[in-house]
Amino acid sequence: MTYSVEVKVMPLKELLDPQGKAVIGGLKNLGLQSVEDVRIGRNITLQIDAASPEEAKAIAEEASKKLLANPVMEYFEATVI
Amino acid sequence: MTYSVEVKVMPLKELLDPQGKAVIGGLKNLGLQSVEDVRIGRNITLQIDAASPEEAKAIAEEASKKLLANPVMEYFEATVI
């Protein structure tokens, strides 16, 4: 069966996110003053052929470790949807 | 109060996602044959100062329409978390 797994890859909380900081500036220029912080990461949806949701999640985590996320700068969360 | 709002920005389903296609190729080279499709978008978390979760969500949607998402190629979903 094919499962959809969503992987969120976000910059580690300890690190600055210059892309997010630039977006805060852009939003302030557009008049959206109430946005206090922005962090930008990736959202990756995988269609995985697996025997169970647990297996699909394990494959997505392997894919994240090997290719999708850079553990020096990012963390990831995989969720079967 | 400050609310966290998560905005997912993904390529429209009707469009090809060349970045996702490249990742499928990379995963196959790494031995992960069971991944059938990959789509890659952005995941943006906003910290928004608002009176209610509804107001925070409305501000996030305005930010998405004005700056974060390109409606020609992408759709977005905002969720208060």
Side-chain angles (χ1 to χ4, degrees), chain A residues 59-60 62-64 66, chain B residues 24 26-35:
Chain A
I59 292 169
E62 195 186 342
S64 303
K66 286 187 173 172
Chain B
I24 296 177
L27 290 173
K28 290 214 188 300
N29 288 340
L30 290 169
L32 290 158
Q33 307 287 341
S34 53
V35 180

Side-chain angles (χ1 to χ4, degrees), chain A residues 11-17 39 72-73 75:
Chain A
L12 289 173
K13 294 193 200 313
E14 299 78 27
L15 299 180
L16 270 179
D17 177 12
R39 291 186 81 79
V72 176
M73 297 178 63
Y75 68 94

Side-chain angles (χ1 to χ4, degrees), chain A residues 22-76:
Chain A
V23 165
I24 297 177
L27 291 173
K28 290 213 187 300
N29 288 341
L30 290 168
L32 290 158
Q33 307 286 342
S34 52
V35 179
E36 295 175 348
D37 194 28
V38 178
R39 291 186 81 79
I40 302 183
R42 293 190 300 291
N43 188 54
I44 303 162
T45 55
L46 306 162
Q47 304 297 322
I48 298 177
D49 182 40
S52 67
E54 292 74 24
E55 193 192 330
K57 189 177 172 186
I59 292 169
E61 288 179 344
E62 195 186 342
S64 303
K65 281 181 200 153
K66 286 187 173 172
L67 187 68
L68 304 175
N70 170 5
V72 176
M73 297 178 63
E74 296 165 330
Y75 68 94
F76 68 86

